[in-house]
Amino acid sequence: MRTVLFDVDGVLIHSMFHPDPAKRRVWSEHIEMDFGIDRDIFNQFFRFENFAPIIRGDRPLVEALDEFLPSIGAKIDSLDLIAYWFENDTPLNYTLLQGIKRLQRSADVQVHLATNQEHLRAFHLWRELRFNHIFDRIFYAARLRAVKPEDNFFIRVNEKLGPQSEEPLFFDDSQKNIDAAKQHGWDAVLFETESDFFNHPWIKEQLS
């Protein structure tokens, strides 16, 4: 049995950070029209220095938004903002997801998520988007208390996976995460389009 792992944003969900502007999916595109919140000002919340403690599990998302939203003059309640975010940040990569389902039918595999998420969105992905119907496990930053590409993220996932008969196969859209995964014994592939999955030699062989 082989383990195959996938990042979420930029892989399974089309990302607002995609390097190709034509492929970006910005969930906050209409936030000014809907709530009177300037999108550029709001996006400061996602700067690394602000968001990293949340992703790492050191600070609750609701607490951080309770502090941030009033500071920019936003009147929306934090829970309503989170509901709006999660509802609109769901442009799934159906082509890839169908490919993963085909792989499960044709190969002896376990498929997991390996993603930088805080607790609430991880739960949303797992239950509300029904990723639990496709994937066997979710490994995410806040629960592991480590963020990709930190060594501890991969060390802890490897510990949870246990001994492997074949190197885990990993798809991620960040070169830093790919480089780190390779250092920990993973066969890591930079994901830019679905062809990076379907044309991987092992995947291609299993689907043929």
Side-chain angles (χ1 to χ4, degrees):
M1 177 179 291
R2 188 169 195 186
T3 296
V4 187
L5 303 103
F6 298 87
D7 179 38
V8 173
D9 296 297
V11 179
L12 299 172
I13 291 179
H14 298 292
S15 173
M16 62 187 293
F17 302 109
H18 197 287
D20 181 353
K23 296 182 179 179
R24 290 176 189 162
R25 301 293 186 272
V26 182
W27 66 266
S28 59
E29 181 177 4
H30 302 295
I31 198 169
E32 184 166 6
M33 180 175 64
D34 292 338
F35 301 112
I37 300 172
D38 184 281
R39 191 179 76 186
D40 292 334
I41 293 175
F42 173 73
N43 284 342
Q44 294 175 10
F45 180 74
F46 296 100
R47 288 180 178 174
F48 179 80
E49 61 271 20
N50 296 331
F51 208 55
I54 300 169
I55 293 295
R56 191 185 300 278
D58 293 335
R59 191 178 192 198
L61 175 61
V62 174
E63 176 186 291
L65 282 171
D66 281 346
E67 179 180 305
F68 178 77
L69 291 174
S71 76
I72 62 171
K75 305 301 183 182
I76 186 173
D77 184 85
S78 296
L79 293 179
D80 291 330
L81 189 283
I82 291 169
Y84 178 83
W85 167 12
F86 291 0
E87 181 179 353
N88 287 282
D89 194 16
T90 56
L92 296 175
N93 188 334
Y94 289 106
T95 301
L96 177 59
L97 289 168
Q98 290 302 317
I100 294 169
K101 292 177 182 179
R102 283 179 55 202
L103 178 67
Q104 289 173 304
R105 292 192 296 267
S106 61
D108 187 16
V109 295
Q110 281 198 338
V111 293
H112 306 304
L113 304 178
T115 177
N116 282 344
Q117 304 292 338
E118 54 78 45
H119 296 294
L120 294 181
R121 188 158 184 259
F123 181 82
H124 174 77
L125 295 169
W126 197 240
R127 294 299 300 272
E128 298 303 319
L129 292 191
R130 298 183 179 273
F131 278 176
N132 61 329
H133 289 200
I134 302 173
F135 297 92
D136 296 291
R137 298 179 72 179
I138 176 172
F139 303 112
Y140 68 93
R143 197 171 189 180
L144 297 171
R145 307 290 291 187
V147 177
K148 291 181 297 182
E150 295 173 354
D151 286 338
N152 279 340
F153 183 96
F154 297 96
I155 290 170
R156 289 169 186 168
V157 173
N158 276 335
E159 289 173 350
K160 292 180 180 297
L161 290 177
Q164 300 286 298
S165 59
E166 192 169 359
E167 59 185 353
L169 175 58
F170 177 50
F171 294 91
D172 195 291
D173 66 329
S174 164
Q175 187 62 56
K176 290 182 179 179
N177 295 342
I178 294 301
D179 293 342
K182 288 180 176 178
Q183 291 178 2
H184 290 273
W186 294 11
D187 176 7
V189 179
L190 182 65
F191 185 94
E192 295 178 323
T193 69
E194 295 80 13
S195 63
D196 296 309
F197 170 79
F198 289 105
N199 290 332
H200 183 277
W202 185 84
I203 298 289
K204 196 169 186 178
E205 180 182 355
Q206 303 306 309
L207 295 180
S208 62

